[in-house]
Amino acid sequence: MTYPNLPRLKACSADFSRLWGYSVGFYGVWLVHVGRQTGLLERLACDQLSVSQLISASKLHPFAVRAWSSGAICYGLVSEKKGRLCVKPGMKALLLDKKNPHYLGGQLSYLALRSLKYGDFEGLFRSGKTREMSSTLSAIEQATDWDHYAFLTSVRYNKKIHNLLLSGCRLLDVGCGTGGLLAKMQHEYPRSNFTGVDPSAKAVARARKIAKPIKITKEAGESMAFESEFDILYLGESLYAAHDKQKVISNCRRALKSGGTIAIVEGLLPESNPDRNENKLIMGMQLDFALQGYKFMTRKQMVRLLSKFARVRFRDLGGSVYLVTATK
Ligand SMILES: C[S@@+](CC[C@H](N)C(=O)[O-])C[C@H]1O[C@@H](n2cnc3c(N)ncnc32)[C@H](O)[C@@H]1O
């Protein structure tokens, strides 16, 4: 028997294995998300169980649990020893511990949840039709938990801001989404006073429950009329979504007291080496953002937007996400 295609296949093997890896990665995303959503990963992080014990403890369908378990073992999410499965501490930290700086579970769940909308790509490519992101609130919540903890950690290392928040100051969250950061800040800094605005009615309704009793108003950054009221302004992955970014930033500046700080957490496109591993996620995610009608900014664009502020600083939080701070 001859294999006429084999020499060509060998010549293309680097490309072949790259593409094969993308297929495998797709299922890796879903194995993680399903494991998180069903609680199977959490259960195996607490106890070492056989597959039968896992089925009876979880009360989930045996057929599905068996399929997930064998995939999760093969993909290294779950370890197997003498017929018992467990999630090792290192993997638990990456997949389940929201406060871990290397937490990736939320990002993987975001990818799985967002991909449910990818059927709409046809409309984007045929007629440029984009989709409101309000339909993906649960996906966003999964991804932004990491931002919130990264911001809280950065704040703890910034004496000026940390002490201000400890002693009691006023913070406005512009584009607060479902209020996850506000709830965490209120818990951490009970003496401070927090306010949120977001133009999405759905997000505001949810934020009012999650971040109760913080005052949250349905409003866009472009139409805010606050004047010299706040010590800190926070914009967590909301600036990219604003149609008139310059207007949002000048309204933010007006809302700040003199000497106040603006803190922006935002994914920024790399200006060099886009094919580096750490930059690849944002490069691919451009397609997801295009579907929602958005574009990531670059560092240069951010500097231009903040030209009326002093002391503009960039802190690389990892994965192309930056904390940008500046002073009025
Ligand atoms: C990715 S979500 C981030 C939510 C929140 N900051 C967080 O960290 O959880 C982006 C948010 O920006 C809001 N947004 C969109 N356009 C905006 C605008 N013009 N001004 C303020 N917020 C806006 C959206 O409604 C959405 O809730």
Side-chain angles (χ1 to χ4, degrees), residues 32 36 93-97 100-110 142 146 281:
V32 168
R36 280 162 49 84
L94 294 175
L95 294 182
L96 300 170
D97 179 2
N100 185 291
H102 299 123
Y103 171 64
L104 279 175
Q107 171 61 32
L108 292 161
S109 283
Y110 169 86
Q142 294 287 345
W146 181 86
L281 190 77

Side-chain angles (χ1 to χ4, degrees), residues 174-223:
V174 180
C176 63
T178 55
L181 179 87
L182 288 171
K184 293 177 186 86
M185 294 292 284
Q186 182 173 244
H187 183 257
E188 189 101 357
Y189 300 106
R191 288 193 179 176
S192 282
N193 180 288
F194 300 98
T195 307
V197 296
D198 197 287
S200 153
K202 273 191 196 167
V204 168
R206 219 170 129 66
R208 285 181 180 150
K209 288 186 190 140
I210 289 175
K212 215 173 173 181
I214 291 175
K215 187 175 178 209
I216 294 162
T217 313
K218 183 184 168 307
E219 176 144 51
E222 287 92 335
S223 54

